[in-house]
Amino acid sequence: MKITTRLTGLMLSGLAVGLMLSTQPAHASLTPSSTLPRTDMVDLASYQGNLGQSDFDNLAQQGVKAVTVKATEGTSYVNPYLSQQVQYAQNAGLSVNFYHFAHFTSASEATAEAQAFINAVKSVTSSTNIVMVVDFESSELAGLSKTANNANLATFDSVLNQAGYNKTDLYTMSSWVGNHIDTNDANKGWIANWPANPTGENYTSANAWQWASDYVFNGEHQNLDVSQLNNSYYLGGATTSTTPTNQTTSTTPTTTPQSGQEDPTMVKLPAPKQVGSQYSKSRLYSVKLVWRGNMGHHTYTTTKGARYSAHLGTRYGYNSDLPDVTWVTDKHEKLYRKATHDYIIYYHVKSTDGQHGGWIWRGYLK
């Protein structure tokens, strides 16, 4: 998030011209360093709409664990990249949360903005096990008393709670806490404070500390807001439960397939195409399905690894045998590996001619 202002008659809607925190000296963009705080979480809005799946994958590989995506502002603005950013984050295995840029100055406005926020989030996920954040920084809010702001925020949160969203939080700048708004047990805080030379830990009683708005990850080419998490609050709504409501999840049995049983979503290929395929009981039982769902169409190539059935029990063929094939995605899944106690993401792909397909570990896809 950027500390923003509001122009007369024009809501900036996250494409904000920034009001840098007055206490923060300007400096060159920050880049990875062992002396800096952790980059556990990145927040996104429409001005990061240019980031693609490879960028999200890159963030995950560099230690990002969660994203908080701008959903709404006021009562009429919805982030046009909301669905895309949620999907990319899910594909990368990141926890997904949401924020609303607040303008409410009364209980009725707080109620209306909360409902707009709920409606937008429901359009991309049926999960309520996510953090719903109010971004409290708009200039008109500074004109109200702290008592009024606290009351309006309580109204906003109550509407979220009634809709089943019980994980809420307050994003604001450090100079506003105790002056214009209070943190509390329900909103322990996501505090923005950007020192010139950030190190160590800060605001440890809050859920998160946003310590920079100009961090450039290796392999990326634009500044991003980064935060260090003080606990697991923003990780509870991981991709295990965040599934867009406009997607369908396959009805995979909750029980592990019996030996020799085919998974119902297994790609069926003509017999000549399955030369070298191999069934492995040990491979089948080595993983457990966490979630599976549809995904957008993205094209990749690879000569590494192999193509498998959904539970990896059957290998269809090695990718090195098809070096010139372009693979198109349509599904993805997250598997728990029992031996190593970690998770791995596979993409379901089909060749452009429809003759080949299967599940490939996303790390092999370029």
Side-chain angles (χ1 to χ4, degrees):
M1 303 169 206
K2 305 294 184 187
I3 304 303
T4 63
T5 187
R6 193 181 189 186
L7 301 178
T8 303
L10 175 64
M11 186 177 294
L12 296 177
S13 304
L15 299 170
V17 291
L19 286 178
M20 288 293 293
L21 295 178
S22 59
T23 58
Q24 312 307 325
H27 55 69
S29 296
L30 296 167
T31 54
S33 166
S34 60
T35 64
L36 293 174
R38 297 188 310 276
T39 55
D40 298 320
M41 183 166 70
V42 170
D43 51 274
L44 306 167
S46 59
Y47 44 83
Q48 284 89 31
N50 61 307
L51 297 182
Q53 184 63 66
S54 62
D55 298 298
F56 282 77
D57 292 342
N58 184 35
L59 296 181
Q61 291 166 8
Q62 295 191 56
V64 175
K65 301 173 183 176
V67 295
T68 298
V69 182
K70 179 174 183 177
T72 48
E73 180 170 346
T75 57
S76 59
Y77 174 82
V78 177
N79 175 8
Y81 297 97
L82 177 62
S83 178
Q84 172 181 294
Q85 290 171 330
V86 169
Q87 185 66 73
Y88 287 160
Q90 288 181 319
N91 293 349
L94 299 170
S95 295
V96 180
N97 306 286
F98 300 90
Y99 78 89
H100 168 81
F101 191 97
H103 291 285
F104 52 75
T105 57
S106 67
S108 60
E109 290 177 354
T111 298
E113 290 190 25
Q115 192 57 59
F117 187 25
I118 291 167
N119 292 343
V121 171
K122 281 187 173 181
S123 74
V124 293
T125 178
S126 59
S127 175
T128 56
N129 184 34
I130 49 180
V131 184
M132 299 281 276
V133 183
V134 61
D135 181 352
F136 206 85
E137 60 180 272
S138 190
S139 59
E140 68 265 44
L141 303 176
L144 274 66
S145 69
K146 183 176 72 169
T147 300
N149 281 330
N150 285 340
N152 291 338
L153 178 57
T155 298
F156 183 89
D157 283 348
S158 69
V159 177
L160 298 181
N161 296 158
Q162 290 169 18
Y165 299 98
N166 295 312
K167 296 180 69 175
T168 59
D169 208 1
L170 166 69
Y171 170 91
T172 194
M173 62 203 83
S174 59
S175 61
W176 277 40
V177 177
N179 294 312
H180 298 297
I181 192 70
D182 288 324
T183 56
N184 52 44
D185 289 341
N187 299 306
K188 291 184 176 180
W190 175 10
I191 308 302
N193 184 282
W194 313 327
N197 298 297
T199 58
E201 299 180 349
N202 212 337
Y203 307 100
T204 55
S205 62
N207 288 318
W209 167 33
Q210 186 191 76
W211 54 268
S213 66
D214 55 356
Y215 187 89
V216 180
F217 288 88
N218 288 331
E220 300 302 318
H221 304 285
Q222 70 182 88
N223 295 349
L224 293 173
D225 300 342
V226 289
S227 299
Q228 180 167 277
L229 300 179
N230 295 323
N231 52 47
S232 61
Y233 194 64
Y234 280 84
L235 303 180
T239 54
T240 55
S241 59
T242 307
T243 302
T245 55
N246 60 358
Q247 296 182 358
T248 57
T249 302
S250 63
T251 55
T252 304
T254 56
T255 56
T256 305
Q258 297 299 311
S259 175
Q261 245 185 359
E262 291 186 338
D263 186 279
T265 61
M266 182 183 292
V267 176
K268 299 294 198 282
L269 299 175
K273 304 297 182 182
Q274 293 198 30
V275 175
S277 67
Q278 179 180 327
Y279 173 79
S280 169
K281 180 178 179 180
S282 61
R283 194 165 52 219
L284 174 68
Y285 283 101
S286 69
V287 298
K288 178 180 179 182
L289 178 67
V290 178
W291 55 257
R292 181 182 301 137
N294 295 336
M295 66 179 292
H297 293 175
H298 307 283
T299 56
Y300 294 95
T301 59
T302 185
T303 56
K304 297 181 178 180
R307 301 177 306 283
Y308 293 95
S309 59
H311 281 91
L312 312 187
T314 298
R315 185 179 70 237
Y316 296 136
Y318 291 104
N319 296 324
S320 58
D321 295 335
L322 300 170
D324 300 321
V325 167
T326 297
W327 301 105
V328 182
T329 60
D330 61 0
K331 295 181 182 179
H332 57 138
E333 67 179 9
K334 184 175 184 179
L335 301 172
Y336 173 71
R337 294 192 291 188
K338 300 175 183 178
T340 53
H341 305 291
D342 61 1
Y343 297 89
I344 190 167
I345 303 291
Y346 274 75
Y347 290 170
H348 183 265
V349 299
K350 294 180 181 178
S351 58
T352 52
D353 62 8
Q355 296 300 304
H356 308 278
W359 294 85
I360 301 176
W361 175 51
R362 68 176 182 190
Y364 288 146
L365 294 167
K366 297 181 179 180

